[in-house]
Amino acid sequence: MSQKISLTRYLVEQQRMEGHIPSQLRLLLEVVARACKRISQAVNKGALGGENSILGTAGSENVQGEVQKKLDIIANEVLIEANEWGGHLAAMASEEMDGIYVVPNRYPQGEYLLLFDPLDGSSNIDVNVSIGTIFSVLKMPEDDRGVDEGDFLQPGRQQVAAGYCVYGPQTTLVLTVGDGVAMFTLDREQGSFVLIEENVRISPDTQEFAINMSNMRHWDEPVRRYIDECLAGQEGPRGKNFNMRWVASMVADVHRILCRGGIFMYPWDKREPDKAGKLRLMYEANPMSWLIEQAGGAATNGHQRILDIQPTKLHERVSVILGSKNEVERVTGYHAKL
Ligand code: AHM
Ligand code: MG
């Protein structure tokens, strides 16, 4: 790429030429990107903040009973403060907040709803491994008087923008507005995100899987069969060897898949049969599934396309299988044979 294209320019051109980013949505995405820059700075500081170190736990739990890290809370506040005054949003929802956050009435209300996991992969914060922010944007239903939680309960196919920012060796923002997937890396000298890839594609086949193998004894038959066949390698029914990766940050695992293919699974398992899975539908699975589909991959809970699931509550969980299309279809086929 001879000339560097900033995220701002990319969004302006998308708005001008393709016409599918209204100005309020463009503003929203710029604000989210700016918040991600601030989170990236905090992540980089690590223990250097002294008494204000961002490492460690905050001494509280979120609505899902998970211990909150200091950085979970900092990232949540950064996203809210950056987004509440711009006039582009009606409300926000986050993994770290029980209910929705309605834009205070001292600010103008916009027509969009923003959902996020402010700091995904929290268990990796203190050990200096990649983490990220995931976000999903919906539109307020038309003719709606006053925003409430029900307005958020839209299937993922109705998202108007989705993305994540991975804080790894580089800070990279990955975005879709329904016209393919674009990647931007933060140029710290310039202070801006620069386009590095405009039309990300995932190869339909892969020889790499990502799953937490320590849960193997709890898996359901179709997942077990798929992984057993991968592990059998060249001598097994697949006739090829597979490699395994598990970062324990969905953002980093999905980023790898967008870069070089693969399949990611966090399936339902028998430990808590009433729990659909570990990951959250609305601000983890939906945005990631849309990105993966936009790059030519597939995403399912084993029985249904994730983007078609009608959510019934904000913090709903879901079983996730996503990545290279042919592999995801194979696992789905194993579920159908149950
Ligand atoms: P978090 O949102 O509390 O960080 O949890 C979600 C994370 C995902 O990023 C990752 O895929 C998964 O939890 C890892 O779980 P496990 O530690 O069970 O392997
Ligand atoms: Mg998460």
PDB file of all heavy atoms in Angstrom, residues 162-197:
ATOM      1  N   ALA A 162     -19.752  -3.939  13.523  1.00  0.00           N
ATOM      2  CA  ALA A 162     -19.202  -4.822  14.562  1.00  0.00           C
ATOM      3  C   ALA A 162     -17.691  -4.857  14.411  1.00  0.00           C
ATOM      4  O   ALA A 162     -17.164  -4.636  13.307  1.00  0.00           O
ATOM      5  CB  ALA A 162     -19.774  -6.237  14.425  1.00  0.00           C
ATOM      6  N   GLY A 163     -17.016  -5.125  15.509  1.00  0.00           N
ATOM      7  CA  GLY A 163     -15.561  -5.196  15.409  1.00  0.00           C
ATOM      8  C   GLY A 163     -14.914  -5.522  16.732  1.00  0.00           C
ATOM      9  O   GLY A 163     -15.593  -5.806  17.730  1.00  0.00           O
ATOM     10  N   TYR A 164     -13.600  -5.507  16.696  1.00  0.00           N
ATOM     11  CA  TYR A 164     -12.829  -5.679  17.932  1.00  0.00           C
ATOM     12  C   TYR A 164     -11.514  -4.943  17.786  1.00  0.00           C
ATOM     13  O   TYR A 164     -11.104  -4.580  16.669  1.00  0.00           O
ATOM     14  CB  TYR A 164     -12.581  -7.169  18.235  1.00  0.00           C
ATOM     15  CG  TYR A 164     -11.751  -7.910  17.222  1.00  0.00           C
ATOM     16  CD1 TYR A 164     -10.362  -7.802  17.209  1.00  0.00           C
ATOM     17  CD2 TYR A 164     -12.349  -8.711  16.262  1.00  0.00           C
ATOM     18  CE1 TYR A 164      -9.595  -8.487  16.276  1.00  0.00           C
ATOM     19  CE2 TYR A 164     -11.595  -9.398  15.323  1.00  0.00           C
ATOM     20  CZ  TYR A 164     -10.220  -9.280  15.334  1.00  0.00           C
ATOM     21  OH  TYR A 164      -9.463  -9.935  14.390  1.00  0.00           O
ATOM     22  N   CYS A 165     -10.870  -4.725  18.918  1.00  0.00           N
ATOM     23  CA  CYS A 165      -9.515  -4.178  18.903  1.00  0.00           C
ATOM     24  C   CYS A 165      -8.673  -5.144  19.720  1.00  0.00           C
ATOM     25  O   CYS A 165      -9.011  -5.438  20.871  1.00  0.00           O
ATOM     26  CB  CYS A 165      -9.498  -2.782  19.525  1.00  0.00           C
ATOM     27  SG  CYS A 165      -7.901  -1.985  19.341  1.00  0.00           S
ATOM     28  N   VAL A 166      -7.611  -5.668  19.113  1.00  0.00           N
ATOM     29  CA  VAL A 166      -6.756  -6.608  19.840  1.00  0.00           C
ATOM     30  C   VAL A 166      -5.514  -5.863  20.336  1.00  0.00           C
ATOM     31  O   VAL A 166      -4.884  -5.119  19.574  1.00  0.00           O
ATOM     32  CB  VAL A 166      -6.416  -7.853  18.972  1.00  0.00           C
ATOM     33  CG1 VAL A 166      -5.742  -7.486  17.660  1.00  0.00           C
ATOM     34  CG2 VAL A 166      -5.556  -8.856  19.743  1.00  0.00           C
ATOM     35  N   TYR A 167      -5.221  -6.010  21.643  1.00  0.00           N
ATOM     36  CA  TYR A 167      -4.047  -5.379  22.230  1.00  0.00           C
ATOM     37  C   TYR A 167      -2.982  -6.465  22.352  1.00  0.00           C
ATOM     38  O   TYR A 167      -2.932  -7.194  23.342  1.00  0.00           O
ATOM     39  CB  TYR A 167      -4.387  -4.778  23.599  1.00  0.00           C
ATOM     40  CG  TYR A 167      -5.659  -3.937  23.566  1.00  0.00           C
ATOM     41  CD1 TYR A 167      -6.824  -4.359  24.221  1.00  0.00           C
ATOM     42  CD2 TYR A 167      -5.711  -2.747  22.838  1.00  0.00           C
ATOM     43  CE1 TYR A 167      -7.988  -3.610  24.177  1.00  0.00           C
ATOM     44  CE2 TYR A 167      -6.881  -1.993  22.772  1.00  0.00           C
ATOM     45  CZ  TYR A 167      -8.009  -2.439  23.445  1.00  0.00           C
ATOM     46  OH  TYR A 167      -9.176  -1.706  23.383  1.00  0.00           O
ATOM     47  N   GLY A 168      -2.200  -6.603  21.299  1.00  0.00           N
ATOM     48  CA  GLY A 168      -1.168  -7.643  21.259  1.00  0.00           C
ATOM     49  C   GLY A 168       0.158  -6.987  20.942  1.00  0.00           C
ATOM     50  O   GLY A 168       0.354  -5.818  21.269  1.00  0.00           O
ATOM     51  N   PRO A 169       1.062  -7.701  20.288  1.00  0.00           N
ATOM     52  CA  PRO A 169       2.317  -7.062  19.867  1.00  0.00           C
ATOM     53  C   PRO A 169       2.039  -5.764  19.097  1.00  0.00           C
ATOM     54  O   PRO A 169       2.760  -4.791  19.218  1.00  0.00           O
ATOM     55  CB  PRO A 169       2.964  -8.116  18.966  1.00  0.00           C
ATOM     56  CG  PRO A 169       2.433  -9.414  19.471  1.00  0.00           C
ATOM     57  CD  PRO A 169       1.015  -9.123  19.914  1.00  0.00           C
ATOM     58  N   GLN A 170       0.964  -5.759  18.299  1.00  0.00           N
ATOM     59  CA  GLN A 170       0.442  -4.501  17.756  1.00  0.00           C
ATOM     60  C   GLN A 170      -0.983  -4.332  18.286  1.00  0.00           C
ATOM     61  O   GLN A 170      -1.619  -5.299  18.647  1.00  0.00           O
ATOM     62  CB  GLN A 170       0.359  -4.544  16.222  1.00  0.00           C
ATOM     63  CG  GLN A 170       1.666  -4.770  15.498  1.00  0.00           C
ATOM     64  CD  GLN A 170       1.748  -6.167  14.912  1.00  0.00           C
ATOM     65  OE1 GLN A 170       0.792  -6.673  14.330  1.00  0.00           O
ATOM     66  NE2 GLN A 170       2.906  -6.780  15.072  1.00  0.00           N
ATOM     67  N   THR A 171      -1.450  -3.076  18.266  1.00  0.00           N
ATOM     68  CA  THR A 171      -2.866  -2.820  18.551  1.00  0.00           C
ATOM     69  C   THR A 171      -3.577  -2.721  17.210  1.00  0.00           C
ATOM     70  O   THR A 171      -3.268  -1.853  16.399  1.00  0.00           O
ATOM     71  CB  THR A 171      -3.023  -1.525  19.370  1.00  0.00           C
ATOM     72  OG1 THR A 171      -2.554  -1.780  20.695  1.00  0.00           O
ATOM     73  CG2 THR A 171      -4.485  -1.092  19.453  1.00  0.00           C
ATOM     74  N   THR A 172      -4.502  -3.657  16.956  1.00  0.00           N
ATOM     75  CA  THR A 172      -5.159  -3.699  15.646  1.00  0.00           C
ATOM     76  C   THR A 172      -6.664  -3.698  15.803  1.00  0.00           C
ATOM     77  O   THR A 172      -7.218  -4.477  16.583  1.00  0.00           O
ATOM     78  CB  THR A 172      -4.693  -4.953  14.861  1.00  0.00           C
ATOM     79  OG1 THR A 172      -3.282  -4.841  14.628  1.00  0.00           O
ATOM     80  CG2 THR A 172      -5.389  -5.070  13.509  1.00  0.00           C
ATOM     81  N   LEU A 173      -7.311  -2.808  15.043  1.00  0.00           N
ATOM     82  CA  LEU A 173      -8.762  -2.684  15.062  1.00  0.00           C
ATOM     83  C   LEU A 173      -9.313  -3.368  13.813  1.00  0.00           C
ATOM     84  O   LEU A 173      -8.824  -3.117  12.711  1.00  0.00           O
ATOM     85  CB  LEU A 173      -9.151  -1.204  15.051  1.00  0.00           C
ATOM     86  CG  LEU A 173     -10.631  -0.942  15.218  1.00  0.00           C
ATOM     87  CD1 LEU A 173     -10.924  -0.596  16.669  1.00  0.00           C
ATOM     88  CD2 LEU A 173     -11.081   0.217  14.356  1.00  0.00           C
ATOM     89  N   VAL A 174     -10.303  -4.234  14.010  1.00  0.00           N
ATOM     90  CA  VAL A 174     -10.884  -4.982  12.897  1.00  0.00           C
ATOM     91  C   VAL A 174     -12.365  -4.654  12.854  1.00  0.00           C
ATOM     92  O   VAL A 174     -13.044  -4.688  13.886  1.00  0.00           O
ATOM     93  CB  VAL A 174     -10.634  -6.497  13.086  1.00  0.00           C
ATOM     94  CG1 VAL A 174     -11.219  -7.296  11.940  1.00  0.00           C
ATOM     95  CG2 VAL A 174      -9.143  -6.755  13.202  1.00  0.00           C
ATOM     96  N   LEU A 175     -12.861  -4.333  11.658  1.00  0.00           N
ATOM     97  CA  LEU A 175     -14.178  -3.711  11.557  1.00  0.00           C
ATOM     98  C   LEU A 175     -14.977  -4.243  10.376  1.00  0.00           C
ATOM     99  O   LEU A 175     -14.417  -4.509   9.305  1.00  0.00           O
ATOM    100  CB  LEU A 175     -13.938  -2.201  11.353  1.00  0.00           C
ATOM    101  CG  LEU A 175     -15.136  -1.302  11.129  1.00  0.00           C
ATOM    102  CD1 LEU A 175     -15.929  -1.179  12.420  1.00  0.00           C
ATOM    103  CD2 LEU A 175     -14.654   0.085  10.677  1.00  0.00           C
ATOM    104  N   THR A 176     -16.297  -4.397  10.569  1.00  0.00           N
ATOM    105  CA  THR A 176     -17.189  -4.583   9.427  1.00  0.00           C
ATOM    106  C   THR A 176     -18.411  -3.679   9.581  1.00  0.00           C
ATOM    107  O   THR A 176     -18.922  -3.488  10.684  1.00  0.00           O
ATOM    108  CB  THR A 176     -17.642  -6.054   9.236  1.00  0.00           C
ATOM    109  OG1 THR A 176     -18.399  -6.118   8.012  1.00  0.00           O
ATOM    110  CG2 THR A 176     -18.497  -6.578  10.377  1.00  0.00           C
ATOM    111  N   VAL A 177     -18.837  -3.132   8.425  1.00  0.00           N
ATOM    112  CA  VAL A 177     -20.121  -2.421   8.389  1.00  0.00           C
ATOM    113  C   VAL A 177     -21.022  -3.125   7.372  1.00  0.00           C
ATOM    114  O   VAL A 177     -21.945  -2.535   6.830  1.00  0.00           O
ATOM    115  CB  VAL A 177     -19.944  -0.921   8.029  1.00  0.00           C
ATOM    116  CG1 VAL A 177     -19.332  -0.163   9.189  1.00  0.00           C
ATOM    117  CG2 VAL A 177     -19.130  -0.743   6.764  1.00  0.00           C
ATOM    118  N   GLY A 178     -20.704  -4.403   7.114  1.00  0.00           N
ATOM    119  CA  GLY A 178     -21.520  -5.188   6.202  1.00  0.00           C
ATOM    120  C   GLY A 178     -20.987  -5.210   4.776  1.00  0.00           C
ATOM    121  O   GLY A 178     -21.663  -5.646   3.859  1.00  0.00           O
ATOM    122  N   ASP A 179     -19.760  -4.735   4.615  1.00  0.00           N
ATOM    123  CA  ASP A 179     -19.169  -4.683   3.279  1.00  0.00           C
ATOM    124  C   ASP A 179     -17.754  -5.257   3.336  1.00  0.00           C
ATOM    125  O   ASP A 179     -16.799  -4.626   2.919  1.00  0.00           O
ATOM    126  CB  ASP A 179     -19.156  -3.207   2.818  1.00  0.00           C
ATOM    127  CG  ASP A 179     -18.628  -3.071   1.403  1.00  0.00           C
ATOM    128  OD1 ASP A 179     -18.833  -3.997   0.615  1.00  0.00           O
ATOM    129  OD2 ASP A 179     -17.989  -2.043   1.107  1.00  0.00           O
ATOM    130  N   GLY A 180     -17.623  -6.451   3.916  1.00  0.00           N
ATOM    131  CA  GLY A 180     -16.304  -7.060   4.077  1.00  0.00           C
ATOM    132  C   GLY A 180     -15.668  -6.643   5.395  1.00  0.00           C
ATOM    133  O   GLY A 180     -16.254  -5.912   6.195  1.00  0.00           O
ATOM    134  N   VAL A 181     -14.441  -7.119   5.577  1.00  0.00           N
ATOM    135  CA  VAL A 181     -13.735  -6.877   6.845  1.00  0.00           C
ATOM    136  C   VAL A 181     -12.449  -6.098   6.561  1.00  0.00           C
ATOM    137  O   VAL A 181     -11.684  -6.466   5.678  1.00  0.00           O
ATOM    138  CB  VAL A 181     -13.391  -8.220   7.528  1.00  0.00           C
ATOM    139  CG1 VAL A 181     -12.556  -7.998   8.790  1.00  0.00           C
ATOM    140  CG2 VAL A 181     -14.665  -8.979   7.864  1.00  0.00           C
ATOM    141  N   ALA A 182     -12.248  -5.022   7.315  1.00  0.00           N
ATOM    142  CA  ALA A 182     -11.032  -4.218   7.157  1.00  0.00           C
ATOM    143  C   ALA A 182     -10.248  -4.213   8.470  1.00  0.00           C
ATOM    144  O   ALA A 182     -10.835  -4.261   9.553  1.00  0.00           O
ATOM    145  CB  ALA A 182     -11.397  -2.786   6.761  1.00  0.00           C
ATOM    146  N   MET A 183      -8.900  -4.171   8.339  1.00  0.00           N
ATOM    147  CA  MET A 183      -8.021  -4.160   9.525  1.00  0.00           C
ATOM    148  C   MET A 183      -7.168  -2.893   9.552  1.00  0.00           C
ATOM    149  O   MET A 183      -6.653  -2.493   8.504  1.00  0.00           O
ATOM    150  CB  MET A 183      -7.066  -5.356   9.473  1.00  0.00           C
ATOM    151  CG  MET A 183      -7.677  -6.668   9.838  1.00  0.00           C
ATOM    152  SD  MET A 183      -6.401  -7.958   9.891  1.00  0.00           S
ATOM    153  CE  MET A 183      -7.461  -9.382  10.137  1.00  0.00           C
ATOM    154  N   PHE A 184      -7.005  -2.344  10.750  1.00  0.00           N
ATOM    155  CA  PHE A 184      -6.239  -1.102  10.934  1.00  0.00           C
ATOM    156  C   PHE A 184      -5.285  -1.295  12.111  1.00  0.00           C
ATOM    157  O   PHE A 184      -5.724  -1.716  13.183  1.00  0.00           O
ATOM    158  CB  PHE A 184      -7.163   0.064  11.265  1.00  0.00           C
ATOM    159  CG  PHE A 184      -8.276   0.268  10.269  1.00  0.00           C
ATOM    160  CD1 PHE A 184      -9.442  -0.492  10.356  1.00  0.00           C
ATOM    161  CD2 PHE A 184      -8.151   1.199   9.251  1.00  0.00           C
ATOM    162  CE1 PHE A 184     -10.469  -0.317   9.438  1.00  0.00           C
ATOM    163  CE2 PHE A 184      -9.182   1.373   8.326  1.00  0.00           C
ATOM    164  CZ  PHE A 184     -10.341   0.618   8.413  1.00  0.00           C
ATOM    165  N   THR A 185      -4.026  -0.970  11.900  1.00  0.00           N
ATOM    166  CA  THR A 185      -3.080  -1.073  13.020  1.00  0.00           C
ATOM    167  C   THR A 185      -2.754   0.321  13.545  1.00  0.00           C
ATOM    168  O   THR A 185      -2.624   1.270  12.761  1.00  0.00           O
ATOM    169  CB  THR A 185      -1.816  -1.835  12.568  1.00  0.00           C
ATOM    170  OG1 THR A 185      -2.189  -3.202  12.384  1.00  0.00           O
ATOM    171  CG2 THR A 185      -0.703  -1.781  13.615  1.00  0.00           C
ATOM    172  N   LEU A 186      -2.657   0.430  14.869  1.00  0.00           N
ATOM    173  CA  LEU A 186      -2.389   1.727  15.500  1.00  0.00           C
ATOM    174  C   LEU A 186      -0.940   2.132  15.258  1.00  0.00           C
ATOM    175  O   LEU A 186      -0.013   1.429  15.651  1.00  0.00           O
ATOM    176  CB  LEU A 186      -2.677   1.636  17.009  1.00  0.00           C
ATOM    177  CG  LEU A 186      -2.475   2.909  17.817  1.00  0.00           C
ATOM    178  CD1 LEU A 186      -3.355   4.044  17.313  1.00  0.00           C
ATOM    179  CD2 LEU A 186      -2.755   2.649  19.291  1.00  0.00           C
ATOM    180  N   ASP A 187      -0.777   3.262  14.572  1.00  0.00           N
ATOM    181  CA  ASP A 187       0.548   3.854  14.392  1.00  0.00           C
ATOM    182  C   ASP A 187       0.746   4.822  15.555  1.00  0.00           C
ATOM    183  O   ASP A 187       0.162   5.899  15.591  1.00  0.00           O
ATOM    184  CB  ASP A 187       0.591   4.593  13.038  1.00  0.00           C
ATOM    185  CG  ASP A 187       1.947   5.215  12.776  1.00  0.00           C
ATOM    186  OD1 ASP A 187       2.670   5.524  13.751  1.00  0.00           O
ATOM    187  OD2 ASP A 187       2.283   5.393  11.589  1.00  0.00           O
ATOM    188  N   ARG A 188       1.554   4.403  16.530  1.00  0.00           N
ATOM    189  CA  ARG A 188       1.666   5.201  17.762  1.00  0.00           C
ATOM    190  C   ARG A 188       2.340   6.544  17.516  1.00  0.00           C
ATOM    191  O   ARG A 188       2.071   7.517  18.211  1.00  0.00           O
ATOM    192  CB  ARG A 188       2.424   4.419  18.832  1.00  0.00           C
ATOM    193  CG  ARG A 188       1.576   3.313  19.403  1.00  0.00           C
ATOM    194  CD  ARG A 188       2.213   2.645  20.610  1.00  0.00           C
ATOM    195  NE  ARG A 188       1.486   1.412  20.874  1.00  0.00           N
ATOM    196  CZ  ARG A 188       0.343   1.351  21.546  1.00  0.00           C
ATOM    197  NH1 ARG A 188      -0.188   2.444  22.052  1.00  0.00           N
ATOM    198  NH2 ARG A 188      -0.274   0.196  21.718  1.00  0.00           N
ATOM    199  N   GLU A 189       3.253   6.604  16.524  1.00  0.00           N
ATOM    200  CA  GLU A 189       3.888   7.904  16.251  1.00  0.00           C
ATOM    201  C   GLU A 189       2.872   8.898  15.703  1.00  0.00           C
ATOM    202  O   GLU A 189       2.878  10.068  16.036  1.00  0.00           O
ATOM    203  CB  GLU A 189       5.045   7.733  15.271  1.00  0.00           C
ATOM    204  CG  GLU A 189       6.312   7.250  15.961  1.00  0.00           C
ATOM    205  CD  GLU A 189       6.996   6.130  15.210  1.00  0.00           C
ATOM    206  OE1 GLU A 189       7.071   6.203  13.968  1.00  0.00           O
ATOM    207  OE2 GLU A 189       7.421   5.163  15.874  1.00  0.00           O
ATOM    208  N   GLN A 190       1.992   8.405  14.844  1.00  0.00           N
ATOM    209  CA  GLN A 190       0.989   9.303  14.257  1.00  0.00           C
ATOM    210  C   GLN A 190      -0.258   9.423  15.130  1.00  0.00           C
ATOM    211  O   GLN A 190      -1.076  10.324  14.932  1.00  0.00           O
ATOM    212  CB  GLN A 190       0.548   8.746  12.912  1.00  0.00           C
ATOM    213  CG  GLN A 190       1.668   8.652  11.922  1.00  0.00           C
ATOM    214  CD  GLN A 190       1.160   8.915  10.521  1.00  0.00           C
ATOM    215  OE1 GLN A 190      -0.031   9.060  10.309  1.00  0.00           O
ATOM    216  NE2 GLN A 190       2.071   8.968   9.579  1.00  0.00           N
ATOM    217  N   GLY A 191      -0.430   8.452  16.018  1.00  0.00           N
ATOM    218  CA  GLY A 191      -1.609   8.464  16.880  1.00  0.00           C
ATOM    219  C   GLY A 191      -2.881   8.086  16.152  1.00  0.00           C
ATOM    220  O   GLY A 191      -3.982   8.412  16.590  1.00  0.00           O
ATOM    221  N   SER A 192      -2.747   7.387  15.010  1.00  0.00           N
ATOM    222  CA  SER A 192      -3.980   7.028  14.291  1.00  0.00           C
ATOM    223  C   SER A 192      -3.934   5.576  13.804  1.00  0.00           C
ATOM    224  O   SER A 192      -2.850   4.992  13.614  1.00  0.00           O
ATOM    225  CB  SER A 192      -4.214   7.974  13.116  1.00  0.00           C
ATOM    226  OG  SER A 192      -3.168   7.867  12.203  1.00  0.00           O
ATOM    227  N   PHE A 193      -5.130   5.013  13.599  1.00  0.00           N
ATOM    228  CA  PHE A 193      -5.226   3.667  13.043  1.00  0.00           C
ATOM    229  C   PHE A 193      -5.026   3.743  11.528  1.00  0.00           C
ATOM    230  O   PHE A 193      -5.656   4.569  10.851  1.00  0.00           O
ATOM    231  CB  PHE A 193      -6.607   3.073  13.348  1.00  0.00           C
ATOM    232  CG  PHE A 193      -6.749   2.565  14.757  1.00  0.00           C
ATOM    233  CD1 PHE A 193      -7.396   3.309  15.717  1.00  0.00           C
ATOM    234  CD2 PHE A 193      -6.215   1.333  15.112  1.00  0.00           C
ATOM    235  CE1 PHE A 193      -7.527   2.835  17.022  1.00  0.00           C
ATOM    236  CE2 PHE A 193      -6.338   0.844  16.419  1.00  0.00           C
ATOM    237  CZ  PHE A 193      -6.996   1.602  17.373  1.00  0.00           C
ATOM    238  N   VAL A 194      -4.177   2.858  11.000  1.00  0.00           N
ATOM    239  CA  VAL A 194      -3.853   2.872   9.569  1.00  0.00           C
ATOM    240  C   VAL A 194      -4.310   1.560   8.929  1.00  0.00           C
ATOM    241  O   VAL A 194      -4.069   0.475   9.478  1.00  0.00           O
ATOM    242  CB  VAL A 194      -2.319   3.053   9.381  1.00  0.00           C
ATOM    243  CG1 VAL A 194      -1.936   2.948   7.911  1.00  0.00           C
ATOM    244  CG2 VAL A 194      -1.877   4.388   9.953  1.00  0.00           C
ATOM    245  N   LEU A 195      -4.964   1.690   7.785  1.00  0.00           N
ATOM    246  CA  LEU A 195      -5.492   0.511   7.083  1.00  0.00           C
ATOM    247  C   LEU A 195      -4.352  -0.419   6.674  1.00  0.00           C
ATOM    248  O   LEU A 195      -3.399   0.006   6.027  1.00  0.00           O
ATOM    249  CB  LEU A 195      -6.254   0.971   5.830  1.00  0.00           C
ATOM    250  CG  LEU A 195      -6.939  -0.105   4.996  1.00  0.00           C
ATOM    251  CD1 LEU A 195      -8.090  -0.748   5.759  1.00  0.00           C
ATOM    252  CD2 LEU A 195      -7.446   0.464   3.667  1.00  0.00           C
ATOM    253  N   ILE A 196      -4.456  -1.704   7.064  1.00  0.00           N
ATOM    254  CA  ILE A 196      -3.420  -2.660   6.649  1.00  0.00           C
ATOM    255  C   ILE A 196      -3.990  -3.749   5.738  1.00  0.00           C
ATOM    256  O   ILE A 196      -3.269  -4.431   5.038  1.00  0.00           O
ATOM    257  CB  ILE A 196      -2.705  -3.317   7.862  1.00  0.00           C
ATOM    258  CG1 ILE A 196      -3.719  -3.982   8.813  1.00  0.00           C
ATOM    259  CG2 ILE A 196      -1.846  -2.319   8.596  1.00  0.00           C
ATOM    260  CD1 ILE A 196      -3.083  -5.015   9.720  1.00  0.00           C
ATOM    261  N   GLU A 197      -5.308  -3.924   5.742  1.00  0.00           N
ATOM    262  CA  GLU A 197      -5.923  -4.972   4.909  1.00  0.00           C
ATOM    263  C   GLU A 197      -7.387  -4.611   4.707  1.00  0.00           C
ATOM    264  O   GLU A 197      -8.106  -4.341   5.666  1.00  0.00           O
ATOM    265  CB  GLU A 197      -5.791  -6.307   5.640  1.00  0.00           C
ATOM    266  CG  GLU A 197      -6.465  -7.461   4.971  1.00  0.00           C
ATOM    267  CD  GLU A 197      -5.484  -8.433   4.336  1.00  0.00           C
ATOM    268  OE1 GLU A 197      -4.531  -8.824   5.017  1.00  0.00           O
ATOM    269  OE2 GLU A 197      -5.712  -8.764   3.158  1.00  0.00           O
TER     270      GLU A 197
END
